[in-house]
Amino acid sequence: MGDLAGVAVGHWTDAEARTGVTVVILPEGSTASAEVRGGAPATREFDVLAPTATVTRLDAVVLSGGSAFGLASVDGVVSTLAEAGRGFVTAGGVVPIVAGMSLFDLTVGSSQVRPGPAEGAAAAAAALAALPAAAAVAGDPTVGAGGAGGAGGAGGAVGAVGAVGAGTGATVSKWRGRHHAVAGGLVTATVVEGGFSVSALVAVNAFGDVVGHGPVGEPWPSLVPSGEVGAFGADGSAASSAGTNTTLGVIVCDADLTKTECLLLAQGAHDGYARAITPPHCRVDGDAVIAAATGSVSLAGPGDPRRVAQVELLRWMAVRATADALATLADVAPAGPIPWMTPPAEPGS
Amino acid sequence: MGDLAGVAVGHWTDAEARTGVTVVILPEGSTASAEVRGGAPATREFDVLAPTATVTRLDAVVLSGGSAFGLASVDGVVSTLAEAGRGFVTAGGVVPIVAGMSLFDLTVGSSQVRPGPAEGAAAAAAALAALPAAAAVAGDPTVGAGGAGGAGGAGGAVGAVGAVGAGTGATVSKWRGRHHAVAGGLVTATVVEGGFSVSALVAVNAFGDVVGHGPVGEPWPSLVPSGEVGAFGADGSAASSAGTNTTLGVIVCDADLTKTECLLLAQGAHDGYARAITPPHCRVDGDAVIAAATGSVSLAGPGDPRRVAQVELLRWMAVRATADALATLADVAPAGPIPWMTPPAEPGS
């Protein structure tokens, strides 16, 4: 992600079953918080990210397909990081703090292949392998400025986007009915300003349209074909769409933010969703954002009024990085028909 | 607001001191909830609007200028409604449930004129006077379809917008420095769809720009003149802007929503802010939204999947009504220079 020191991204991708996992490894000392703003989330370890929770560190973020099943992939990331000695040190050993969020891709490709512990471990290993050697060592915060800007592993390459990792089975514009849906995917963008860098990595599986990508105009209500209706269908078939979408975002910046300030950046990312997705934050989306701060760039102190300005700026950079990332979907999403397991009914049938 | 039965709007306006109050009276049986998403709010009775709070009714919403002082205007609205017999019935008499939110306008016109109880009462009386006679009677929910669509009173007229009520002293684009600020004001829009009506009434005093109104382009950092800097200024003078902005919104729909569903509409309105304001939801804004439901149009029952679709639709209508309302600001905001109490320094000085 961007050029953030000590941050590395790894993927496990199943291009045939159309699902995958993306792991973002954070450097030692990173803080984070999170916000859910969709109606059907699948998350893990979000409570420890609350500003009121004691633990301030976050070791990694996991994005996955597989709906609620995909949260099992976090198991493999936790064990891989523990083996690498990364995590919260206790008398009983190292405990990695890893937060996860999953999106629904079970109706694309195969519904039987779901990322689990082994797949999470593969993505975590790919991410660790992408770190400079010094950074991969337990507890060593001395990561060079050349920290990896995205990583490979199974199915991944540095800075891979599109149909990779958690974005492999993603689709968007489903509120128009599946006949009109187009591919989603993994997107990223970075904003550098005022001495800070803010990167967004987003797995886009929205119920709504994404700016610049796919169909445009008001689908609802007349354009939604009966039987393939989205949540706006007057025939009430919304239940079939419940929880089958979701846009997952990770914001990483290099400032030394508190958890509370990270929460503000997560809120900013959701403003980016609101700007680039139509309609945004639906009841059938599980939209969630984790915002992390690596701490390599110091802000003004807590009592310094400049800190208000700096956090304001960083929040606005999170809005822009997220909206900018979403705007790249048209360039990176795979073309061609979506391999629905059950083909959509003909419009009007 | 719109054509919502039993809903009436009244204003108290001081055009010289540039401040005012706007009261929205809701019909008996209305439910409501609210969300704050700015960093510097001034609110009253927001806790009772939480879905977890026992009381479900809301009798009126008060928008005011005067910053935190302006919350005193709610006192006069409460007493006026109590005299009219409107409120929660207890053995100790009627208790009106009135929620308030205020914006900062103290540096425009006069800082010494702040809406208080008398001004709130005047706006409430104007709103009550605008209701059909039957609706103004205590506890009578039989309001005709011709329910007032906005009201007058001191300084107000039916459907008044622009420099009226809480919008009288509002300004926007302050992140560019006061030299580049333009007038804000009160705006409204209604979306009618699927048998429902959703109206937004917004007092716009944003730190950021409002779509289609005033300056455009990236102000920050080079365009912000030193000494008149907004929160993004590298010189750290953000403290001078803290809490001196804010966009206040009221959503009213005619469906019979629960408090939890009202909260979703408030969230939708904030997505409308994110779409129409740049930058949105700043730390120096007190952005808040109250969403109310009058209940005259029945949704499907709690176990019916159509209800998911209906709430999804209503949330999206709240996004659109809010963004549509904000897009009218260019048409209704007063032209001419802003009467700052202390003129802004010359750019660059």
Side-chain angles (χ1 to χ4, degrees):
Chain A
M1 297 180 66
D3 259 338
L4 293 164
V7 179
V9 181
H11 309 284
W12 171 84
T13 300
D14 187 330
E16 190 168 346
R18 297 280 179 132
T19 192
V21 183
T22 297
V23 173
V24 181
I25 304 252
L26 299 168
E28 181 71 26
S30 295
T31 57
S33 193
E35 187 182 39
V36 171
R37 217 160 164 79
T43 62
R44 178 166 162 165
E45 289 276 41
F46 267 49
D47 284 319
V48 79
L49 297 177
T52 46
T54 307
V55 174
T56 60
R57 70 180 293 134
L58 185 65
D59 293 296
V61 176
V62 182
L63 311 179
S64 83
S67 191
F69 300 108
L71 295 174
S73 65
V74 180
D75 298 347
V77 181
V78 168
S79 56
T80 300
L81 291 187
E83 284 161 22
R86 298 174 76 105
F88 184 73
V89 177
T90 79
V94 167
V95 180
I97 309 299
V98 182
M101 30 189 184
S102 301
L103 58 81
F104 185 96
D105 55 10
L106 299 181
T107 52
V108 180
S110 167
S111 65
Q112 298 308 303
V113 179
R114 305 151 181 172
E119 292 73 24
L128 283 175
L131 281 174
V137 173
D140 184 347
T142 58
V143 180
V158 173
V161 290
V164 65
T168 306
T171 49
V172 303
S173 295
K174 286 162 281 184
W175 75 322
R176 299 174 179 278
R178 285 192 292 151
H179 256 291
H180 301 279
V182 293
L186 197 68
V187 293
T188 188
T190 297
V191 174
V192 177
E193 203 86 74
F196 304 108
S197 178
V198 176
S199 290
L201 180 70
V202 187
V204 196
N205 188 46
F207 188 56
D209 302 326
V210 175
V211 62
H213 179 53
V216 294
E218 279 291 336
W220 170 89
S222 59
L223 294 184
V224 178
S226 167
E228 290 297 326
V229 73
F232 294 94
D235 67 352
S237 55
S240 66
S241 278
T244 62
N245 307 285
T246 286
T247 298
L248 306 175
V250 185
I251 298 290
V252 184
C253 78
D254 53 8
D256 62 338
L257 299 179
T258 64
K259 286 177 79 177
T260 299
E261 290 162 342
C262 287
L263 177 56
L264 294 169
L265 268 61
Q267 291 183 347
H270 277 297
D271 278 349
Y273 285 16
R275 289 177 157 230
I277 300 173
T278 298
H281 295 129
C282 289
R283 301 296 291 147
V284 294
D285 283 307
D287 295 352
V289 174
I290 293 174
T294 67
S296 63
V297 179
S298 294
L299 295 179
D304 190 322
R306 285 177 300 175
R307 191 172 184 110
V308 175
Q310 290 170 326
V311 173
E312 189 87 286
L313 168 61
L314 288 162
R315 189 189 187 285
W316 172 227
M317 290 166 71
V319 179
R320 291 161 60 199
T322 304
D324 288 355
L326 288 166
T328 69
L329 183 61
D331 299 326
V332 305
I338 294 165
W340 297 108
M341 291 191 65
T342 307
E346 286 303 310
S349 69
Chain B
M1 297 180 65
D3 259 336
L4 293 165
V7 179
V9 182
H11 308 284
W12 171 83
T13 300
D14 187 329
E16 192 168 343
R18 297 282 178 129
T19 193
V21 182
T22 296
V23 174
V24 180
I25 304 253
L26 300 167
E28 182 71 27
S30 295
T31 57
S33 193
E35 187 183 40
V36 171
R37 218 160 162 78
T43 62
R44 178 165 161 166
E45 290 275 40
F46 267 48
D47 284 319
V48 79
L49 296 176
T52 47
T54 307
V55 174
T56 59
R57 69 179 294 133
L58 185 64
D59 293 296
V61 176
V62 183
L63 311 179
S64 82
S67 190
F69 300 109
L71 294 174
S73 64
V74 180
D75 298 348
V77 180
V78 168
S79 56
T80 299
L81 291 187
E83 284 162 22
R86 298 174 76 105
F88 184 74
V89 177
T90 79
V94 166
V95 180
I97 309 298
V98 182
M101 29 190 186
S102 300
L103 58 80
F104 184 97
D105 56 10
L106 300 180
T107 51
V108 180
S110 167
S111 65
Q112 298 308 303
V113 179
R114 303 151 183 172
E119 292 73 23
L128 283 175
L131 281 174
V137 174
D140 184 347
T142 58
V143 180
V158 172
V161 290
V164 64
T168 306
T171 49
V172 302
S173 294
K174 285 162 281 186
W175 76 322
R176 298 173 180 279
R178 284 193 292 152
H179 256 290
H180 301 279
V182 292
L186 198 68
V187 292
T188 188
T190 296
V191 174
V192 177
E193 203 86 75
F196 304 108
S197 179
V198 176
S199 291
L201 181 70
V202 187
V204 196
N205 189 46
F207 187 56
D209 302 327
V210 175
V211 62
H213 179 53
V216 294
E218 279 292 336
W220 168 88
S222 59
L223 295 183
V224 178
S226 167
E228 290 297 324
V229 74
F232 293 92
D235 67 353
S237 54
S240 66
S241 277
T244 61
N245 307 285
T246 286
T247 299
L248 306 175
V250 185
I251 298 290
V252 185
C253 77
D254 53 8
D256 62 337
L257 300 178
T258 64
K259 287 176 79 178
T260 299
E261 290 162 342
C262 287
L263 177 58
L264 294 168
L265 268 60
Q267 291 183 348
H270 277 298
D271 278 349
Y273 285 15
R275 289 177 157 229
I277 300 173
T278 298
H281 295 130
C282 289
R283 301 298 292 146
V284 294
D285 283 307
D287 294 352
V289 173
I290 293 174
T294 67
S296 62
V297 179
S298 295
L299 296 179
D304 190 322
R306 287 177 299 175
R307 191 172 183 110
V308 175
Q310 290 169 328
V311 173
E312 189 88 284
L313 168 62
L314 289 162
R315 189 190 187 285
W316 172 227
M317 289 166 71
V319 179
R320 290 160 61 200
T322 304
D324 287 355
L326 287 165
T328 69
L329 184 62
D331 299 326
V332 305
I338 295 166
W340 297 109
M341 291 191 65
T342 306
E346 286 303 312
S349 69

